[in-house]
Amino acid sequence: MRLISFLTIIPSIFLLPCVASCGKTPVTPSGKDDPTPIVETIMKGSFDSKWNRYSEGQKHKGQTDKKLIEKEWKDTLWLGDRAHKQLILWTEEKPVRGISVNVSDLNAGGSQISASNISVRYEKYVTGDEHTSTCGKASSRVSVKIADALVETPITSFTATDPLKMWLTVNIPSNAAPGLYTGKIEIRKNEEVLDTYNLSFLIVNRILPDVSDWKFYLDIWQFPFQLPSLCKKSGKSVEPFGEDYFKLVKPFYTILADAGQKAITTYIKDGAFGRGQTMVDWKLNKNGGWEFDFTKFDAYVDFMMSLGIDKQIDCFSLYGWDLSIGYLDMNDGQSKRVSYDINDEQYAKIWNKFLLEFKSHLIAKGWFDKAVLYMDEIPEPQLNSLVSLIKANDPDWKIGSAGSWYAYSLTEQLYEQAPIISCTDKSGAQRVLFYTSCSQEYPNNYVTKDNSLAEMSYMAWYALANGYDGFLRWAFDYWYNADPMNAQDGSNAAGDNHFIYRSSNDFSTCIPIASTRLEILRDGIQNYEKAMILGRNKFSEVMGLFRYSEHPDAEKAVSKAEKLLKQLSVTQ
């Protein structure tokens, strides 16, 4: 929405980051010479693009061409906006030790944005892959160290062999006064200023809605049984859905909520994903009847909704990774499994019993309209059978599927469909997302030297260009590697299984560590929200850059789209 107009002439230099000429005397906002004494130092530095991914030992481009050194971060931002930039420091000679970072307030005449709105995090290496790959092809991978994890603990020293990489984030308060704000970042050693980097943000008279009100539909599936099995307390796994469990997972899923996540991933049977994992306990009583305990389901849904993830409950699944159903036989107290073909009469009987009780329970909780019976990559014949079974049980059930190449008449019966990015078939579902999987090398959320961070921003622009409602990805936190800083899980490319890291495997010290990938995915979603506010039709000149390709130039496409977005933010 528009606020009051405050500028009539906007210099075009604020529409893109600018490169400062080397050797010039720093200038204060008033235009006077900066009185800070120049200190001879072996340390140099530069701002860098948020999309440039660094591997261990990689140099900044300014180390070989001084004209590429950027000493000023200029940007055009909205109220309620969040923006990112990298600051890279290096030395060609002796090690640099004992440095600190000082960030000033941002000032615009009589208005001020506190320095507390600017965070400095440090990029930590994780184990990734040298090259991207498709499903199962990473078994012959070459491991490399790639900067993806973002830690808050300051890194105060570095050597000539590897630059120091800082990740800067500015959050513009929604109630700030529009204007041209300036500030600076100083690199200090004790009280001595070693170098200064300038900030200049044009805050326009437009406001980005709160994340809970974003229109973009983000659904990254959660795997809530993984973390408590890895972050142990007194050497034992944390029992899911108890007090310790929710204490452990809360900061992780708070980060997911802040990214704009809409849906809760729930497990309605043992075998939805992994065996032994369910939020609904199935029991066969002594009379041969089925009973269902929804206690864990309720606790988890209530918890996730308290974090702001409350738009939808994805219920997995009548067609899970494991088609069998785990249950407790109350006749002998033994855990058992039952398995029927999807077209078997007993399959329909057992699921009709469940769906009737589940519906009554959801209605009592006020959740029936939010619940979606979800399937993952189910073949069309089986989906047809399940849709018939579910709609015969109650036509008001909502059905979702992450799957592709279905007949249009079948998709019309779905509430939500997420076809894979390479599928361009038209869908008749009420909500249509798209997803990427291990079958795409690009664009994807992989941690490899081949994949650009711009691919994460590309996702939201791709949705905008092709009329999708959002983006779906299969795993926020599906870790099983014991090394918290290893992005390699299984034989798919590094990063396929998760968007976030954990600090340790000990309950007392296990906290979330954000990734550059998740930050840039959110950054792209912000762009989607802004573009929808400004008017999607105003971006027609760049929409052709976001058609499906097996190897899109994501950085080129996103750069052009962001340039137009900044121009329109000022002129419209």
Side-chain angles (χ1 to χ4, degrees), residues 238-289:
V238 175
E239 184 68 25
F241 315 117
E243 183 178 349
D244 283 342
Y245 171 83
F246 289 122
K247 179 180 178 181
L248 176 65
V249 302
K250 181 176 182 178
F252 289 83
Y253 291 144
T254 297
I255 290 176
L256 180 59
D258 181 63
Q261 175 73 10
K262 304 295 187 186
I264 306 167
T265 305
T266 64
Y267 299 17
I268 59 173
K269 79 172 186 74
D270 182 337
F273 289 107
R275 284 196 175 189
Q277 300 177 352
T278 182
M279 297 175 185
V280 179
D281 291 324
W282 292 51
K283 301 175 183 179
L284 186 66
N285 63 34
K286 294 181 179 181
N287 297 320

Side-chain angles (χ1 to χ4, degrees), residues 160-175:
T161 60
D162 198 32
L164 173 62
K165 292 156 284 290
M166 291 182 280
W167 188 269
L168 310 178
T169 301
V170 58
N171 289 284
I172 305 302
S174 296
N175 61 353

Side-chain angles (χ1 to χ4, degrees), residues 502-554:
R502 62 192 190 279
S503 59
S504 76
N505 290 329
D506 185 270
F507 175 84
S508 62
T509 58
C510 184
I511 60 173
I513 298 176
S515 71
T516 62
R517 293 172 293 145
L518 187 61
E519 293 288 3
I520 297 302
L521 176 63
R522 187 189 189 280
D523 191 61
I525 296 171
Q526 284 191 156
N527 291 337
Y528 177 99
E529 297 298 318
K530 294 176 186 178
M532 292 296 284
I533 292 171
L534 292 168
R536 182 178 178 275
N537 61 312
K538 294 183 173 69
F539 293 85
S540 57
E541 66 184 80
V542 297
M543 291 295 93
L545 299 172
F546 299 95
R547 302 306 178 193
Y548 174 70
S549 167
E550 292 184 356
H551 194 173
D553 189 340

Side-chain angles (χ1 to χ4, degrees), residues 318 340-342 344-351 386 389:
L318 276 75
Y340 298 108
D341 182 83
I342 199 169
D344 191 289
E345 181 180 343
Q346 289 300 314
Y347 182 94
K349 183 178 180 179
I350 193 172
W351 276 108
L386 281 183
L389 185 156

Side-chain angles (χ1 to χ4, degrees), residues 68-340:
L68 299 177
I69 292 177
E70 301 179 24
K71 300 300 290 285
E72 188 167 25
W73 176 11
K74 289 192 175 186
D75 216 337
T76 301
L77 305 174
W78 290 29
L79 300 170
D81 215 339
R82 179 179 298 175
H84 307 281
K85 197 78 166 175
Q86 293 187 87
L87 179 57
I88 314 299
L89 304 181
W90 65 85
T91 173
E92 304 290 357
E93 304 172 24
K94 299 177 181 179
V96 174
R97 299 187 177 93
I99 63 167
S100 62
V101 181
N102 183 72
V103 181
S104 75
D105 295 329
L106 300 174
N107 293 288
S111 300
Q112 186 175 88
I113 296 175
S114 170
S116 62
N117 290 284
I118 303 173
S119 67
V120 180
R121 287 175 289 178
Y122 298 81
E123 298 176 34
K124 185 173 181 178
Y125 290 123
V126 302
T127 303
D129 295 340
E130 184 172 14
H131 298 297
T132 189
S133 60
T134 54
C135 303
K137 298 295 180 63
S139 55
S140 57
R141 58 170 40 110
V142 176
S143 298
V144 294
K145 295 297 184 181
I146 294 176
D148 187 49
L150 299 175
V151 300
E152 297 184 8
T153 303
I155 299 175
T156 61
S157 62
F158 54 96
T159 67
T161 60
D162 198 32
L164 173 62
K165 292 156 284 290
M166 291 182 280
W167 188 269
L168 310 178
T169 301
V170 58
N171 289 284
I172 305 302
S174 296
N175 61 353
L180 174 58
Y181 287 80
T182 58
K184 62 183 178 181
I185 296 174
E186 293 178 339
I187 308 300
R188 297 178 176 180
K189 184 172 184 178
N190 300 322
E191 295 302 315
E192 182 181 59
V193 177
L194 302 182
D195 210 351
T196 301
Y197 301 86
N198 296 315
L199 307 173
S200 185
F201 300 132
L202 178 63
I203 313 302
V204 300
N205 58 335
R206 289 190 174 275
I207 188 165
L208 184 69
D210 184 79
V211 64
S212 62
D213 296 321
W214 288 358
K215 304 301 182 186
F216 188 91
Y217 199 91
L218 179 66
D219 188 4
I220 307 177
W221 293 349
Q222 306 103 59
F223 286 79
F225 290 88
Q226 298 306 113
L227 188 64
S229 70
L230 291 164
C231 292
K232 300 182 184 299
K233 185 175 183 181
S234 301
K236 297 181 180 179
S237 297
V238 175
E239 184 68 25
F241 315 117
E243 183 178 349
D244 283 342
Y245 171 83
F246 289 122
K247 179 180 178 181
L248 176 65
V249 302
K250 181 176 182 178
F252 289 83
Y253 291 144
T254 297
I255 290 176
L256 180 59
D258 181 63
Q261 175 73 10
K262 304 295 187 186
I264 306 167
T265 305
T266 64
Y267 299 17
I268 59 173
K269 79 172 186 74
D270 182 337
F273 289 107
R275 284 196 175 189
Q277 300 177 352
T278 182
M279 297 175 185
V280 179
D281 291 324
W282 292 51
K283 301 175 183 179
L284 186 66
N285 63 34
K286 294 181 179 181
N287 297 320
W290 289 100
E291 298 179 5
F292 310 99
D293 186 344
F294 300 105
T295 303
K296 298 172 185 175
F297 177 89
D298 293 349
Y300 186 71
V301 171
D302 278 330
F303 166 74
M304 294 296 277
M305 286 187 172
S306 74
L307 301 181
I309 303 176
D310 57 6
K311 299 299 187 294
Q312 184 165 301
I313 307 169
D314 291 345
C315 304
F316 291 90
S317 174
L318 276 75
Y319 190 89
W321 287 4
D322 187 330
L323 295 181
S324 66
I325 301 171
Y327 68 96
L328 175 66
D329 189 335
M330 298 173 70
N331 290 285
D332 56 15
Q334 298 296 308
S335 294
K336 300 179 180 179
R337 306 197 73 82
V338 63
S339 182
Y340 298 108

